[in-house]
Coordinates of all heavy atoms in Angstrom, one line a residue:
M207 N 12.1 27.6 -13.2 CA 12.2 26.2 -13.5 C 10.9 25.5 -13.1 O 10.5 25.7 -11.9 CB 13.4 25.6 -12.8 CG 13.7 24.2 -13.2 SD 15.2 23.5 -12.3 CE 16.5 24.1 -13.3
P208 N 10.3 24.7 -14.0 CA 9.0 24.1 -13.6 C 9.2 23.1 -12.5 O 10.3 22.6 -12.2 CB 8.6 23.3 -14.9 CG 9.4 24.0 -16.0 CD 10.6 24.6 -15.4
K209 N 8.1 22.7 -11.8 CA 8.2 21.8 -10.6 C 8.7 20.4 -11.1 O 9.4 19.7 -10.3 CB 6.9 21.7 -10.0 CG 6.5 22.9 -9.2 CD 5.2 22.7 -8.4 CE 4.8 23.9 -7.6 NZ 3.6 23.7 -6.9
E210 N 8.3 20.0 -12.3 CA 8.8 18.7 -12.8 C 10.3 18.6 -12.9 O 10.9 17.6 -12.6 CB 8.1 18.4 -14.1 CG 6.6 18.2 -14.1 CD 5.8 19.5 -14.1 OE1 6.4 20.5 -14.6 OE2 4.7 19.5 -13.7
D211 N 10.9 19.7 -13.4 CA 12.3 19.8 -13.5 C 13.0 19.7 -12.1 O 14.0 19.1 -12.0 CB 12.8 21.0 -14.3 CG 12.4 21.0 -15.8 OD1 12.1 19.9 -16.3 OD2 12.4 22.1 -16.4
N212 N 12.4 20.4 -11.2 CA 13.0 20.4 -9.8 C 12.9 19.0 -9.3 O 13.9 18.5 -8.6 CB 12.2 21.3 -8.9 CG 12.5 22.8 -9.2 OD1 13.6 23.1 -9.7 ND2 11.6 23.7 -8.8
A213 N 11.8 18.3 -9.5 CA 11.7 16.9 -9.0 C 12.7 16.0 -9.6 O 13.3 15.1 -9.0 CB 10.2 16.4 -9.2
V214 N 12.9 16.2 -10.9 CA 13.9 15.3 -11.7 C 15.3 15.6 -11.1 O 16.0 14.7 -10.9 CB 13.8 15.6 -13.2 CG1 14.9 14.9 -13.9 CG2 12.4 15.1 -13.7
C215 N 15.6 16.9 -11.0 CA 16.9 17.2 -10.5 C 17.1 16.7 -9.0 O 18.2 16.2 -8.7 CB 17.1 18.7 -10.5 SG 17.3 19.4 -12.1
F216 N 16.1 16.8 -8.2 CA 16.2 16.2 -6.9 C 16.4 14.7 -6.9 O 17.2 14.2 -6.2 CB 14.9 16.6 -6.1 CG 14.9 16.1 -4.7 CD1 15.7 16.7 -3.7 CD2 14.2 14.9 -4.3 CE1 15.7 16.2 -2.4 CE2 14.2 14.4 -3.0 CZ 15.0 15.1 -2.1
G217 N 15.6 14.0 -7.7 CA 15.7 12.6 -7.9 C 17.1 12.2 -8.3 O 17.7 11.2 -7.8
I218 N 17.7 12.9 -9.3 CA 19.0 12.6 -9.8 C 20.0 12.8 -8.7 O 21.0 12.1 -8.5 CB 19.3 13.5 -11.0 CG1 18.5 13.0 -12.2 CG2 20.8 13.4 -11.4 CD1 18.6 13.8 -13.4
G219 N 19.8 13.9 -7.9 CA 20.8 14.2 -6.8 C 20.7 13.1 -5.7 O 21.8 12.7 -5.2
V220 N 19.5 12.7 -5.4 CA 19.4 11.6 -4.4 C 20.1 10.3 -4.9 O 20.8 9.6 -4.2 CB 17.9 11.3 -4.1 CG1 17.8 10.0 -3.3 CG2 17.3 12.5 -3.3
L221 N 19.8 10.0 -6.2 CA 20.4 8.8 -6.8 C 22.0 8.9 -6.8 O 22.7 7.9 -6.4 CB 19.9 8.6 -8.2 CG 20.4 7.4 -9.0 CD1 20.0 6.1 -8.3 CD2 19.9 7.4 -10.4
I222 N 22.5 10.1 -7.1 CA 24.0 10.2 -7.1 C 24.5 10.1 -5.7 O 25.5 9.4 -5.5 CB 24.3 11.6 -7.7 CG1 24.1 11.6 -9.2 CG2 25.8 11.9 -7.4 CD1 24.2 12.9 -9.9
G223 N 23.8 10.6 -4.7 CA 24.2 10.5 -3.3 C 24.2 9.1 -2.9 O 25.1 8.7 -2.2
V224 N 23.2 8.3 -3.2 CA 23.1 6.9 -2.8 C 24.2 6.1 -3.4 O 24.9 5.4 -2.8 CB 21.7 6.3 -3.2 CG1 21.7 4.8 -3.0 CG2 20.6 7.0 -2.3
V225 N 24.4 6.3 -4.7 CA 25.5 5.6 -5.4 C 26.9 5.9 -4.8 O 27.7 5.0 -4.6 CB 25.4 5.9 -6.9 CG1 26.7 5.3 -7.6 CG2 24.2 5.3 -7.6
T226 N 27.1 7.2 -4.6 CA 28.4 7.6 -4.0 C 28.5 7.0 -2.6 O 29.6 6.5 -2.3 CB 28.4 9.2 -3.9 OG1 28.2 9.7 -5.2 CG2 29.7 9.6 -3.3
G227 N 27.5 7.0 -1.8 CA 27.6 6.4 -0.5 C 27.9 4.9 -0.5 O 28.7 4.4 0.2
V228 N 27.2 4.2 -1.4 CA 27.5 2.8 -1.6 C 28.9 2.5 -2.0 O 29.6 1.6 -1.4 CB 26.5 2.1 -2.6 CG1 26.9 0.7 -2.9 CG2 25.1 2.1 -2.0
I229 N 29.4 3.2 -3.0 CA 30.7 3.0 -3.5 C 31.8 3.4 -2.4 O 32.7 2.6 -2.2 CB 31.0 3.9 -4.7 CG1 30.2 3.4 -5.9 CG2 32.5 4.0 -5.1 CD1 30.2 4.2 -7.1
T230 N 31.5 4.5 -1.7 CA 32.5 4.8 -0.6 C 32.5 3.8 0.5 O 33.6 3.4 1.0 CB 32.1 6.2 0.0 OG1 32.0 7.2 -1.1 CG2 33.0 6.7 1.1
S231 N 31.3 3.3 0.9 CA 31.3 2.3 1.9 C 31.9 1.0 1.5 O 32.6 0.4 2.3 CB 29.8 2.1 2.4 OG 29.1 1.5 1.3
V232 N 31.8 0.6 0.3 CA 32.5 -0.6 -0.2 C 34.0 -0.4 -0.2 O 34.8 -1.3 0.2 CB 31.9 -1.0 -1.6 CG1 32.8 -2.1 -2.2 CG2 30.5 -1.5 -1.5
L233 N 34.4 0.8 -0.7 CA 35.9 1.0 -0.8 C 36.6 1.1 0.5 O 37.7 0.7 0.7 CB 36.1 2.3 -1.6 CG 35.8 2.2 -3.1 CD1 36.0 3.5 -3.8 CD2 36.7 1.1 -3.8
Y234 N 35.9 1.7 1.5 CA 36.5 1.9 2.8 C 36.0 0.9 3.9 O 36.3 1.1 5.1 CB 36.2 3.3 3.3 CG 36.9 4.3 2.5 CD1 36.3 5.1 1.5 CD2 38.3 4.5 2.7 CE1 37.0 6.0 0.8 CE2 39.0 5.5 2.0 CZ 38.3 6.2 1.0 OH 39.0 7.1 0.3
A235 N 35.4 -0.2 3.5 CA 34.9 -1.2 4.4 C 36.1 -1.9 5.0 O 37.0 -2.3 4.3 CB 34.0 -2.2 3.7
P236 N 36.1 -2.0 6.4 CA 37.2 -2.7 7.0 C 37.2 -4.2 6.9 O 38.2 -4.9 7.2 CB 37.0 -2.3 8.5 CG 35.6 -2.0 8.7 CD 35.1 -1.5 7.3
K237 N 36.1 -4.8 6.5 CA 36.0 -6.2 6.4 C 35.8 -6.6 4.9 O 35.3 -5.8 4.1 CB 34.8 -6.7 7.2 CG 35.0 -6.4 8.7 CD 33.7 -6.9 9.4 CE 33.9 -6.5 10.9 NZ 32.6 -6.7 11.6
S238 N 36.0 -7.9 4.7 CA 35.8 -8.4 3.3 C 34.3 -8.6 3.1 O 33.5 -8.5 4.1 CB 36.5 -9.8 3.1 OG 35.8 -10.7 3.9
G239 N 33.9 -8.7 1.9 CA 32.4 -8.9 1.6 C 31.8 -10.1 2.3 O 30.7 -10.1 2.8
E240 N 32.6 -11.2 2.3 CA 32.1 -12.4 2.9 C 31.9 -12.2 4.4 O 30.9 -12.6 5.0 CB 33.1 -13.6 2.7 CG 32.6 -14.9 3.2 CD 33.6 -16.0 2.9 OE1 34.3 -16.0 1.9 OE2 33.6 -17.0 3.7
E241 N 32.8 -11.5 5.1 CA 32.7 -11.3 6.5 C 31.5 -10.4 6.8 O 30.7 -10.6 7.7 CB 34.0 -10.6 7.0 CG 35.2 -11.5 7.1 CD 36.4 -10.8 7.5 OE1 36.4 -9.6 7.6 OE2 37.4 -11.5 7.7
T242 N 31.3 -9.3 5.9 CA 30.2 -8.4 6.1 C 28.9 -9.1 5.9 O 28.0 -8.9 6.7 CB 30.4 -7.2 5.1 OG1 31.6 -6.6 5.3 CG2 29.3 -6.2 5.3
R243 N 28.8 -10.0 4.9 CA 27.6 -10.7 4.6 C 27.2 -11.6 5.8 O 26.1 -11.7 6.2 CB 27.6 -11.5 3.3 CG 27.5 -10.6 2.1 CD 27.4 -11.5 0.8 NE 28.5 -12.3 0.6 CZ 29.6 -11.9 -0.1 NH1 29.7 -10.7 -0.6 NH2 30.6 -12.7 -0.3
K244 N 28.2 -12.3 6.3 CA 28.0 -13.2 7.5 C 27.6 -12.5 8.7 O 26.6 -12.9 9.4 CB 29.4 -14.0 7.7 CG 29.2 -15.1 8.8 CD 28.3 -16.2 8.2 CE 28.3 -17.3 9.2 NZ 27.2 -18.3 8.9
E245 N 28.2 -11.3 9.0 CA 27.8 -10.5 10.1 C 26.4 -10.0 9.9 O 25.6 -10.0 10.9 CB 28.8 -9.3 10.3 CG 28.5 -8.5 11.5 CD 29.5 -7.4 11.7 OE1 30.7 -7.7 11.5 OE2 29.1 -6.3 12.0
F246 N 26.1 -9.6 8.7 CA 24.7 -9.1 8.4 C 23.7 -10.2 8.7 O 22.6 -10.0 9.3 CB 24.6 -8.5 7.0 CG 23.3 -8.0 6.6 CD1 22.8 -6.8 7.1 CD2 22.5 -8.8 5.8 CE1 21.6 -6.4 6.8 CE2 21.2 -8.3 5.4 CZ 20.8 -7.1 5.9
E247 N 24.0 -11.4 8.2 CA 23.1 -12.6 8.3 C 22.9 -12.9 9.8 O 21.8 -13.1 10.3 CB 23.7 -13.8 7.6 CG 22.9 -15.0 7.7 CD 23.6 -16.2 7.1 OE1 24.5 -16.0 6.2 OE2 23.2 -17.4 7.5
N248 N 24.0 -12.8 10.6 CA 23.9 -13.1 12.0 C 23.0 -12.0 12.7 O 22.2 -12.4 13.6 CB 25.3 -13.1 12.7 CG 26.1 -14.3 12.3 OD1 25.6 -15.3 11.9 ND2 27.4 -14.2 12.4
V249 N 23.2 -10.8 12.4 CA 22.4 -9.7 13.0 C 20.9 -9.9 12.7 O 20.1 -9.8 13.5 CB 22.9 -8.3 12.5 CG1 21.9 -7.2 12.9 CG2 24.3 -8.0 13.1
V250 N 20.6 -10.2 11.4 CA 19.3 -10.4 11.0 C 18.6 -11.6 11.7 O 17.5 -11.5 12.2 CB 19.2 -10.5 9.4 CG1 17.8 -11.0 9.0 CG2 19.5 -9.2 8.8
T251 N 19.4 -12.7 11.8 CA 18.9 -13.9 12.4 C 18.6 -13.6 13.9 O 17.6 -14.0 14.4 CB 19.9 -15.0 12.3 OG1 20.2 -15.3 10.9 CG2 19.4 -16.3 12.9
D252 N 19.6 -12.9 14.6 CA 19.4 -12.6 16.0 C 18.2 -11.7 16.2 O 17.4 -12.0 17.1 CB 20.6 -11.9 16.5 CG 21.8 -12.8 16.7 OD1 21.6 -14.1 16.6 OD2 22.9 -12.3 16.8
L253 N 18.0 -10.7 15.4 CA 16.8 -9.9 15.5 C 15.5 -10.6 15.2 O 14.6 -10.4 16.0 CB 17.0 -8.7 14.5 CG 18.0 -7.6 14.9 CD1 18.1 -6.6 13.7 CD2 17.6 -6.9 16.2
A254 N 15.5 -11.5 14.2 CA 14.3 -12.3 13.9 C 14.0 -13.2 15.1 O 12.8 -13.3 15.5 CB 14.6 -13.1 12.7
Q255 N 15.0 -13.8 15.7 CA 14.7 -14.7 16.9 C 14.3 -13.9 18.1 O 13.3 -14.3 18.8 CB 15.9 -15.5 17.2 CG 16.2 -16.6 16.2 CD 17.6 -17.3 16.5 OE1 18.3 -16.9 17.3 NE2 17.8 -18.3 15.7
K256 N 14.9 -12.8 18.3 CA 14.6 -12.0 19.5 C 13.2 -11.3 19.4 O 12.5 -11.3 20.4 CB 15.6 -10.9 19.6 CG 15.5 -10.0 20.8 CD 16.6 -9.0 20.9 CE 16.4 -8.1 22.2 NZ 17.5 -7.1 22.2
Y257 N 12.8 -10.9 18.2 CA 11.5 -10.2 18.1 C 10.4 -11.0 17.4 O 9.4 -10.4 17.0 CB 11.8 -8.9 17.3 CG 12.6 -7.9 18.1 CD1 14.0 -7.7 17.8 CD2 12.1 -7.3 19.2 CE1 14.7 -6.8 18.5 CE2 12.9 -6.4 20.0 CZ 14.2 -6.2 19.6 OH 15.0 -5.3 20.3
T258 N 10.6 -12.3 17.3 CA 9.5 -13.1 16.7 C 8.2 -12.9 17.3 O 7.2 -12.7 16.6 CB 9.9 -14.6 16.7 OG1 11.1 -14.8 15.9 CG2 8.8 -15.5 16.2
P259 N 8.0 -12.9 18.7 CA 6.7 -12.7 19.2 C 6.1 -11.4 18.8 O 4.9 -11.3 18.5 CB 6.9 -12.8 20.7 CG 8.2 -13.5 20.9 CD 9.0 -13.2 19.7
E260 N 6.9 -10.3 18.9 CA 6.4 -9.0 18.5 C 6.1 -8.9 17.0 O 5.1 -8.3 16.7 CB 7.5 -7.9 18.8 CG 7.7 -7.7 20.3 CD 8.7 -8.6 21.0 OE1 9.1 -9.6 20.3 OE2 9.0 -8.4 22.2
I261 N 6.9 -9.6 16.2 CA 6.6 -9.6 14.8 C 5.3 -10.3 14.5 O 4.5 -9.9 13.7 CB 7.8 -10.3 14.0 CG1 9.0 -9.4 14.1 CG2 7.4 -10.5 12.6 CD1 10.3 -10.0 13.6
Q262 N 5.1 -11.5 15.2 CA 3.8 -12.2 15.0 C 2.6 -11.4 15.5 O 1.6 -11.4 14.8 CB 3.9 -13.6 15.7 CG 4.9 -14.5 15.2 CD 4.6 -14.9 13.7 OE1 3.5 -15.0 13.3 NE2 5.7 -15.1 13.0
H263 N 2.8 -10.7 16.6 CA 1.7 -9.9 17.1 C 1.4 -8.7 16.1 O 0.2 -8.5 15.8 CB 2.1 -9.3 18.5 CG 1.0 -8.5 19.1 ND1 -0.2 -9.0 19.5 CD2 0.9 -7.1 19.3 CE1 -1.0 -8.0 20.0 NE2 -0.3 -6.9 19.9
A264 N 2.4 -8.1 15.6 CA 2.2 -7.0 14.7 C 1.6 -7.5 13.4 O 0.7 -6.9 12.8 CB 3.6 -6.3 14.3
K265 N 2.0 -8.7 12.9 CA 1.4 -9.3 11.7 C -0.1 -9.6 12.0 O -0.9 -9.3 11.1 CB 2.2 -10.6 11.4 CG 1.7 -11.3 10.2 CD 2.4 -12.6 10.0 CE 1.9 -13.4 8.8 NZ 2.6 -14.7 8.6
K266 N -0.4 -10.1 13.1 CA -1.8 -10.4 13.4 C -2.6 -9.2 13.5 O -3.7 -9.1 12.9 CB -1.9 -11.2 14.8 CG -3.3 -11.6 15.2 CD -3.3 -12.4 16.5 CE -4.7 -12.8 16.8 NZ -4.7 -13.6 18.1
Q267 N -2.1 -8.1 14.1 CA -2.8 -6.8 14.1 C -3.0 -6.3 12.7 O -4.0 -5.7 12.4 CB -2.0 -5.8 15.0 CG -2.2 -6.0 16.4 CD -1.4 -4.9 17.2 OE1 -0.4 -4.5 16.8 NE2 -2.0 -4.6 18.4
A268 N -1.9 -6.4 11.9 CA -2.0 -5.8 10.5 C -3.1 -6.6 9.7 O -3.9 -6.0 9.0 CB -0.6 -6.0 9.8
L269 N -3.1 -7.9 9.9 CA -4.1 -8.7 9.1 C -5.5 -8.4 9.6 O -6.4 -8.3 8.8 CB -3.8 -10.2 9.3 CG -2.5 -10.7 8.6 CD1 -2.2 -12.1 8.9 CD2 -2.7 -10.5 7.1
T270 N -5.6 -8.2 10.9 CA -7.0 -7.8 11.5 C -7.4 -6.5 10.9 O -8.5 -6.3 10.5 CB -6.9 -7.8 13.0 OG1 -6.5 -9.1 13.5 CG2 -8.2 -7.4 13.6
S271 N -6.5 -5.5 10.9 CA -6.8 -4.2 10.4 C -7.2 -4.3 8.9 O -8.1 -3.6 8.5 CB -5.6 -3.3 10.5 OG -5.3 -3.0 11.9
I272 N -6.5 -5.1 8.2 CA -6.8 -5.3 6.7 C -8.2 -5.9 6.6 O -9.0 -5.4 5.7 CB -5.7 -6.2 6.1 CG1 -4.4 -5.4 5.9 CG2 -6.2 -6.7 4.7 CD1 -3.2 -6.3 5.5
D273 N -8.5 -6.9 7.4 CA -9.8 -7.5 7.3 C -10.9 -6.5 7.7 O -12.0 -6.4 7.0 CB -9.9 -8.7 8.3 CG -9.2 -9.9 7.8 OD1 -8.9 -9.9 6.6 OD2 -8.9 -10.8 8.6
V274 N -10.7 -5.7 8.7 CA -11.7 -4.6 9.1 C -11.8 -3.6 7.9 O -13.0 -3.3 7.6 CB -11.2 -3.9 10.4 CG1 -12.1 -2.7 10.6 CG2 -11.3 -4.9 11.6
M275 N -10.7 -3.2 7.4 CA -10.8 -2.2 6.2 C -11.5 -2.9 5.0 O -12.3 -2.2 4.4 CB -9.4 -1.8 5.8 CG -8.8 -0.8 6.8 SD -9.8 0.7 7.0 CE -9.8 1.4 5.4
R276 N -11.2 -4.1 4.8 CA -11.9 -4.8 3.6 C -13.4 -4.8 3.9 O -14.2 -4.6 3.0 CB -11.3 -6.2 3.5 CG -12.0 -6.9 2.3 CD -11.5 -8.4 2.1 NE -10.0 -8.4 1.9 CZ -9.2 -9.3 2.5 NH1 -9.7 -10.2 3.3 NH2 -7.9 -9.2 2.3
Y277 N -13.8 -5.2 5.1 CA -15.2 -5.2 5.5 C -15.9 -3.9 5.3 O -16.9 -3.8 4.7 CB -15.4 -5.7 6.9 CG -16.8 -5.6 7.4 CD1 -17.8 -6.5 7.0 CD2 -17.1 -4.6 8.3 CE1 -19.1 -6.3 7.4 CE2 -18.4 -4.4 8.7 CZ -19.4 -5.3 8.3 OH -20.7 -5.1 8.7
K278 N -15.2 -2.8 5.8 CA -15.8 -1.5 5.7 C -15.9 -1.0 4.2 O -16.9 -0.4 3.8 CB -14.9 -0.5 6.4 CG -15.1 -0.6 7.9 CD -14.2 0.4 8.7 CE -14.4 0.3 10.2 NZ -13.5 1.3 10.9
L279 N -14.8 -1.3 3.4 CA -14.9 -1.0 2.0 C -15.9 -1.7 1.2 O -16.6 -1.2 0.4 CB -13.5 -1.2 1.4 CG -12.4 -0.2 1.8 CD1 -11.0 -0.7 1.2 CD2 -12.7 1.1 1.2
E280 N -16.1 -3.0 1.5 CA -17.1 -3.8 0.9 C -18.5 -3.3 1.3 O -19.4 -3.2 0.4 CB -17.0 -5.3 1.2 CG -15.8 -6.0 0.6 CD -15.6 -7.4 1.0 OE1 -16.3 -7.9 2.0 OE2 -14.8 -8.1 0.4
R281 N -18.7 -3.0 2.5 CA -20.0 -2.4 3.0 C -20.3 -1.1 2.3 O -21.4 -0.9 1.8 CB -19.9 -2.3 4.5 CG -21.3 -1.9 5.1 CD -21.2 -1.8 6.6 NE -20.3 -0.7 6.9 CZ -19.9 -0.5 8.2 NH1 -20.3 -1.2 9.1 NH2 -19.1 0.5 8.4
E282 N -19.3 -0.2 2.2 CA -19.5 1.1 1.5 C -19.7 0.9 0.0 O -20.6 1.5 -0.6 CB -18.2 1.9 1.7 CG -18.4 3.4 1.3 CD -19.5 4.1 2.0 OE1 -19.8 3.8 3.2 OE2 -20.0 5.1 1.5
Y283 N -19.0 -0.1 -0.6 CA -19.2 -0.4 -2.0 C -20.6 -0.9 -2.2 O -21.3 -0.4 -3.2 CB -18.2 -1.4 -2.5 CG -18.4 -1.9 -3.9 CD1 -18.1 -1.2 -5.0 CD2 -19.1 -3.1 -4.1 CE1 -18.3 -1.6 -6.3 CE2 -19.4 -3.6 -5.4 CZ -19.0 -2.8 -6.4 OH -19.2 -3.3 -7.7
N284 N -21.1 -1.8 -1.4 CA -22.4 -2.3 -1.5 C -23.5 -1.2 -1.4 O -24.5 -1.1 -2.1 CB -22.7 -3.4 -0.6 CG -21.9 -4.7 -0.9 OD1 -21.6 -4.9 -2.1 ND2 -21.6 -5.5 0.0
R285 N -23.2 -0.3 -0.4 CA -24.2 0.8 -0.2 C -24.2 1.7 -1.4 O -25.3 2.1 -1.8 CB -23.7 1.6 1.1 CG -24.7 2.6 1.5 CD -24.2 3.5 2.7 NE -23.1 4.3 2.3 CZ -23.2 5.5 1.7 NH1 -24.4 5.9 1.3 NH2 -22.2 6.2 1.4
L286 N -23.1 2.0 -1.9 CA -23.0 2.9 -3.1 C -23.7 2.2 -4.3 O -24.4 2.8 -5.1 CB -21.6 3.3 -3.4 CG -21.0 4.3 -2.5 CD1 -19.5 4.5 -2.8 CD2 -21.7 5.6 -2.6
S287 N -23.4 0.9 -4.5 CA -23.9 0.1 -5.6 C -25.5 0.1 -5.5 O -26.2 0.3 -6.5 CB -23.4 -1.3 -5.5 OG -23.9 -2.1 -6.6
D288 N -26.0 -0.1 -4.3 CA -27.4 -0.1 -4.1 C -28.0 1.2 -4.4 O -29.1 1.3 -4.9 CB -27.8 -0.6 -2.6 CG -27.4 -2.0 -2.4 OD1 -27.2 -2.8 -3.3 OD2 -27.4 -2.4 -1.2
S289 N -27.3 2.3 -4.0 CA -27.8 3.6 -4.2 C -27.9 3.9 -5.7 O -28.9 4.5 -6.2 CB -26.9 4.6 -3.5 OG -27.3 6.0 -3.8
I290 N -26.9 3.5 -6.4 CA -26.8 3.7 -7.9 C -28.0 2.9 -8.5 O -28.7 3.4 -9.4 CB -25.5 3.3 -8.5 CG1 -24.4 4.3 -8.0 CG2 -25.5 3.2 -10.0 CD1 -23.0 3.9 -8.3
K291 N -28.1 1.7 -8.1 CA -29.2 0.8 -8.7 C -30.6 1.5 -8.4 O -31.4 1.5 -9.3 CB -29.1 -0.6 -8.1 CG -28.0 -1.4 -8.6 CD -27.9 -2.7 -8.0 CE -26.7 -3.5 -8.4 NZ -26.6 -4.8 -7.7
A292 N -30.8 2.0 -7.2 CA -32.0 2.6 -6.9 C -32.3 3.8 -7.7 O -33.4 4.0 -8.2 CB -32.0 3.0 -5.4
K293 N -31.2 4.6 -8.0 CA -31.4 5.8 -8.8 C -31.7 5.4 -10.3 O -32.5 6.0 -10.9 CB -30.1 6.6 -8.8 CG -30.0 7.4 -7.5 CD -28.7 8.2 -7.5 CE -28.6 9.0 -6.1 NZ -27.4 9.8 -6.1
Q294 N -31.1 4.3 -10.7 CA -31.3 3.8 -12.1 C -32.8 3.3 -12.2 O -33.4 3.6 -13.2 CB -30.3 2.7 -12.5 CG -28.9 3.2 -12.7 CD -27.9 2.1 -12.9 OE1 -28.2 0.9 -12.5 NE2 -26.8 2.4 -13.5
I295 N -33.2 2.6 -11.2 CA -34.6 2.1 -11.2 C -35.6 3.3 -11.2 O -36.6 3.3 -11.9 CB -34.9 1.2 -10.0 CG1 -34.1 -0.1 -10.3 CG2 -36.3 0.9 -9.9 CD1 -34.1 -1.1 -9.1
A296 N -35.3 4.3 -10.4 CA -36.2 5.5 -10.3 C -36.2 6.2 -11.6 O -37.3 6.6 -12.1 CB -35.7 6.4 -9.2
K297 N -35.1 6.3 -12.2 CA -35.0 7.0 -13.5 C -35.8 6.2 -14.6 O -36.5 6.8 -15.4 CB -33.5 7.1 -14.0 CG -33.2 8.4 -14.7 CD -31.7 8.4 -15.0 CE -31.2 9.7 -14.8 NZ -29.8 9.9 -15.2
A298 N -35.6 4.9 -14.6 CA -36.3 4.0 -15.5 C -37.8 4.1 -15.3 O -38.6 4.2 -16.3 CB -35.9 2.6 -15.4
K299 N -38.3 4.2 -14.1 CA -39.7 4.3 -13.8 C -40.2 5.7 -14.2 O -41.3 5.8 -14.8 CB -40.0 4.1 -12.3 CG -39.9 2.7 -11.8 CD -40.2 2.5 -10.4 CE -40.2 1.0 -10.0 NZ -40.5 0.9 -8.6
E300 N -39.4 6.7 -14.0 CA -39.8 8.0 -14.4 C -39.9 8.1 -15.9 O -40.9 8.6 -16.5 CB -38.8 9.1 -13.9 CG -39.1 10.5 -14.3 CD -38.0 11.4 -13.8 OE1 -37.3 11.2 -12.8 OE2 -37.8 12.5 -14.5
K301 N -39.0 7.5 -16.6 CA -39.0 7.5 -18.1 C -40.2 6.7 -18.6 O -40.9 7.1 -19.5 CB -37.7 6.9 -18.6 CG -37.7 6.9 -20.2 CD -36.4 6.4 -20.7 CE -36.4 6.4 -22.2 NZ -35.3 5.8 -22.8
E302 N -40.5 5.6 -17.9 CA -41.6 4.7 -18.3 C -42.9 5.5 -18.1 O -43.8 5.4 -18.9 CB -41.6 3.5 -17.4 CG -42.7 2.5 -17.8 CD -42.5 1.3 -16.9 OE1 -41.7 0.4 -17.2 OE2 -43.3 1.2 -15.9
S303 N -43.1 6.2 -17.0 CA -44.3 7.0 -16.8 C -44.4 8.1 -17.8 O -45.5 8.4 -18.2 CB -44.3 7.5 -15.3 OG -43.4 8.5 -15.1
I304 N -43.3 8.8 -18.2 CA -43.4 9.8 -19.2 C -43.8 9.2 -20.5 O -44.6 9.8 -21.2 CB -42.0 10.6 -19.3 CG1 -41.8 11.4 -18.0 CG2 -42.0 11.5 -20.5 CD1 -40.4 12.0 -17.9
D305 N -43.2 8.1 -20.9 CA -43.5 7.4 -22.1 C -45.0 7.0 -22.1 O -45.7 7.1 -23.1 CB -42.6 6.2 -22.4 CG -41.2 6.6 -22.7 OD1 -41.0 7.7 -23.1 OD2 -40.3 5.7 -22.7
Y306 N -45.5 6.6 -21.0 CA -46.9 6.1 -20.9 C -47.8 7.3 -21.0 O -48.8 7.2 -21.7 CB -47.1 5.4 -19.5 CG -48.5 4.9 -19.3 CD1 -49.0 3.8 -20.1 CD2 -49.4 5.6 -18.5 CE1 -50.2 3.4 -19.9 CE2 -50.6 5.1 -18.3 CZ -51.1 4.0 -19.0 OH -52.4 3.6 -18.8
E307 N -47.5 8.4 -20.4 CA -48.3 9.6 -20.5 C -48.3 10.2 -21.9 O -49.4 10.7 -22.4 CB -47.8 10.7 -19.6 CG -48.0 10.4 -18.1 CD -47.4 11.4 -17.2 OE1 -46.8 12.4 -17.7 OE2 -47.4 11.2 -16.0
V308 N -47.2 10.1 -22.7 CA -47.2 10.6 -24.0 C -48.0 9.7 -25.0 O -48.7 10.2 -25.8 CB -45.7 10.6 -24.5 CG1 -45.6 10.9 -26.0 CG2 -44.9 11.6 -23.7
N309 N -48.0 8.4 -24.8 CA -48.8 7.5 -25.6 C -50.2 7.5 -25.2 O -51.2 7.5 -25.5 CB -48.2 6.1 -25.6 CG -46.9 6.1 -26.2 OD1 -46.6 6.8 -27.1 ND2 -46.1 5.2 -25.8

């Protein structure tokens, strides 16, 4: 069996497992949907309030890392761009000197 077929079969199996789990959890849930949603909302709100400083710090670190990566990528892009331009100029000068020698 080709790898693509294995990947498709695996994906279908995972999807069936997830759907089965969701259906089973809904059917056997001890609370109503409204109670579950309210409890979930409370848990999320409590976590957000409790970990706000850590979340803000992680966000700041992530943004700093993104800025550093952007700077490094832009610097590398400019370096490569300059290198390509230099090669194009050198090629053009070489062609110009060859054309000049022929004429």
